[in-house]
Amino acid sequence: MRQYDWSSHPFGAPENWPEGLKIPLRMLLTSRFEMWLGWGDELNFFYNDAYIPTLGIKHPSMLGRPFREVWSEVYDDVADQVARVRGGESTWNDALLLLLERHGYPEETYHSFSYSPLYGPSGSVDGMLCIVSEVTERVITERRLNTLRTLGMELVGTSTRDEVCQAVSQVLGVNRRDFPFSLLFMGEGDEQAAIACTQDAADLLHQSWPLGAAGSGPAMIALPARAAYPVGAWAIASRDALVVAIPGADGETPVGHLVLGLNPYRRRDEDVADLARMLVGQISGALANVTALVSERQRADRVWTHSRDLLCAVGADGIYRSVSPAWTRILGHATDQVVGHHIDEFLWPDDRQETAEALSLAASGTDLTSFENRYRTVDGELRWISWHTAREGDLVYGYGRDVTEEKLNAEALASAENALRQSQKMEVIGQLTGGVAHDFNNLLMAITANLDLLKRHMPDDPKATRLIDGAIQGASRGASLTQRLLAFARRQDLELVAVSVTELVRGVGDLIMKSAGPGVELRYQLDEELPLAMVDANQVELALLNLVVNARDALRDGGCVTIATERVVLASEQHLPSGPYVRLAVSDDGVGMDEETLARATEPFFSTKEIGKGTGLGLSMIHGLAIQLNGALRISSTPGEGTCAELLLPVTEERPAAPAPVAEPSVTPAAATRTILVVDDDPLVAMSTVDLLENLGHSVREANSGAEALEIVRSGEHFDLVVTDYSMPRMNGGQLAIALREIRPDLPILLATGYADLPPGAGIDLPRLAKPYDQSQLQREIAKFFGS
């Protein structure tokens, strides 16, 4: 954008652009989400780096061009939404299909996006903001997985080749986006069966197809441009087709072929060949089952011998009458060790009752489908078996497939979903702590300011001064706590320094002793030669105290808490790089935790303490801190024996910085008296700020809302400075600043906020003063405007 020659553009130089364009443009360019905005009558196009892949070859030539020109191929699809946005309405689209020409040809893409109006100086809609997420791969992957799942379900229970062909034709006839037409050829020579999966593809069966081109893998063939082919879900016909061999029982000799017309809007789709392989794999498996059924009827003994899955015959009494050799291959038991024995001898103990009920149901004549239970191998391992049954006479015949690997994959998926839920919980914590800390900072602001003024007006009384200093110190600790909560919730940068963790532990020894209480024996095992670690000292101190409190609470009738530091070398653990680490451990000999409790120990809001005695945030905050420090939190516990919590922190070669001299803050009357407008919806905070400023010698006017402040300034009253809170109802401090700048562009404005950072979308760039603040901090910020 800097290299673009804006002097030749209708908008002219960027410094002359309206604020209504520059403010959202500033937000857009610094965001990692895909975003673009259009401005002006033609919605001239601006976008950020994250949006470049969506543009493809249109980048960078489309910068500043009209929206209708940038996406001319799909503009008609969204034109009605553009009109609604110009009328002041926002729109939303979930996975909208758009045929974008970003690589030189129309391409099937899906996008979830919102259109929002942007208002100009006159209050009219002068532009449009789009926040977009491309979901093409997700939509197409889900569509293909659904095709595979549906085909698998349709093939279950097929017992003849015709039933298999019917199932394939039915499923492929539905997915007309990946395959606008599909042909199925089964068998060879005069016995070959040719099937069109949709009626409009029937004429294609008369063409000559190069089925032999599909050797060891799918073969791509170009379709004649002038021939007429079914278009399926699209407006144009396929350009290419895929010929895929259906492997036979030997895995090599084909028993049939699929001819699949390919999506004309997915020219570089390398994954479609994998999809075709999986489809023919399912078909091949179904045909193999059909062959197995036929062979069973003709040569039952041979099928029984060579089956890869478990086959058995069992009586209603649970005694095995016969089992296939697959039992030995899958479970390790010799067949003569199974026949004549009860089913319970091989089941996982927890599944015996449910299996007995299922066997009773099967023996009564109800066929079981996909009944799953667990078996023990000869080595004691666990295997999941999915059963289909049929009753004949007094016996239940079972067909069992080993689905252990599928179960493990499902557990991995569940773990990923759990990680996503954990991330969402942490987002909730961020929102909660942000709002609570803001309100708490307002209260601390009033306390700190009034204590500061009280101290300055008190006579020289050492005891009173000590009491006031203690109250100020307590308020400062409260402010520090809220800032740490916000820093964790918003993932802000930590103040990293190289420190000795052993010295850090000694530095908070008094606090550890007070936190543990008189009934707890404290033991230290500290490494005096411990290497330095790069940490935020305040955060690690807070984490250490939190772990000590947890250890204390785990001791029922007193006990011992041990704090240890040492250097450890990890090979590879908890996704940590191998190398040296500093280990800070807090262990106790308390009640301990069972496996279920231990698994949830770092979940937000999870607590084993009584109501009112714990928030459930301590360990989750420590876990988050460890991750931010490129380390890990490791917890081990045994019920009745105690718990050990370990912080693993990477070793650093940096040396500790020399401590900076701490200057006692001084407050002197201002060199020049200023007229200042204080705006805050909290009367207590406003009064405190007014008192601080008046004590410095300034002339101060108070307003308790943005509207009141605007009315005062519009009345013509002169002010040298405005000090305003950010979070106010109806009109926040950022909106007030924008309105004041329209009246007095040169008016200095200082934004006071209880947030560690302004919420996303605040869109205001002003000097800021963090709450709570004292008189010396306030004086320093004013001096930055006037030099005094």
Side-chain angles (χ1 to χ4, degrees), residues 183-203:
L183 307 176
L184 176 62
F185 299 90
M186 297 296 296
E188 299 290 340
D190 296 336
E191 296 181 1
Q192 184 184 70
I195 302 168
C197 296
T198 53
Q199 187 62 38
D200 57 1
D203 290 341

Side-chain angles (χ1 to χ4, degrees), residues 85 158 221 254 298 360 446 455 514 548 614 643 713 761 785:
V85 173
T158 53
I221 59 173
Q298 297 178 347
S360 176
K455 180 179 178 181
K514 293 177 182 178
V548 170
T643 300
V713 174
F785 288 100

Side-chain angles (χ1 to χ4, degrees), residues 448-621:
T448 302
N450 284 289
L451 287 172
D452 194 13
L453 289 174
L454 179 60
K455 180 179 178 181
R456 300 182 191 283
H457 287 83
M458 284 289 294
D460 188 11
D461 183 344
K463 183 176 182 180
T465 300
R466 186 173 68 255
L467 294 174
I468 292 174
D469 286 343
I472 291 175
Q473 185 179 9
S476 298
R477 287 184 179 178
S480 176
L481 174 60
T482 60
Q483 293 303 315
R484 291 173 187 174
L485 286 172
L486 285 168
F488 169 75
R490 298 183 181 278
R491 299 294 195 270
Q492 292 177 327
D493 292 337
L494 300 172
E495 297 180 6
L496 300 179
V497 292
V499 301
S500 167
V501 177
T502 293
E503 294 302 321
L504 183 148
V505 173
R506 286 201 175 96
V508 291
D510 290 342
L511 288 176
I512 291 174
M513 185 179 300
K514 293 177 182 178
S515 299
V520 176
E521 178 187 355
L522 287 173
R523 296 178 183 174
Y524 292 92
Q525 298 174 356
L526 304 179
D527 185 352
E528 302 298 338
E529 303 297 328
L530 195 69
L532 301 181
M534 187 67 71
V535 300
D536 184 314
N538 289 333
Q539 292 282 13
V540 174
E541 288 175 358
L542 181 62
L544 173 59
L545 293 174
N546 207 322
L547 292 176
V548 170
V549 170
N550 284 349
R552 177 202 67 192
D553 293 343
L555 303 175
R556 291 177 176 173
D557 301 313
C560 179
V561 173
T562 302
I563 302 173
T565 61
E566 65 172 332
R567 178 183 181 273
V568 296
V569 178
L570 300 182
S572 178
E573 183 173 342
Q574 292 193 2
H575 308 292
L576 294 177
S578 58
Y581 288 81
V582 170
R583 173 181 175 267
L584 171 60
V586 177
S587 55
D588 63 72
D589 54 5
V591 296
M593 294 181 282
D594 56 28
E595 291 185 4
E596 181 179 357
T597 303
L598 184 61
R600 300 186 60 193
T602 57
E603 285 188 11
F605 301 113
F606 176 76
S607 176
T608 59
K609 300 178 182 179
E610 298 177 11
I611 296 177
K613 294 188 177 181
T615 63
L617 292 176
L619 286 178
S620 64
M621 291 177 64

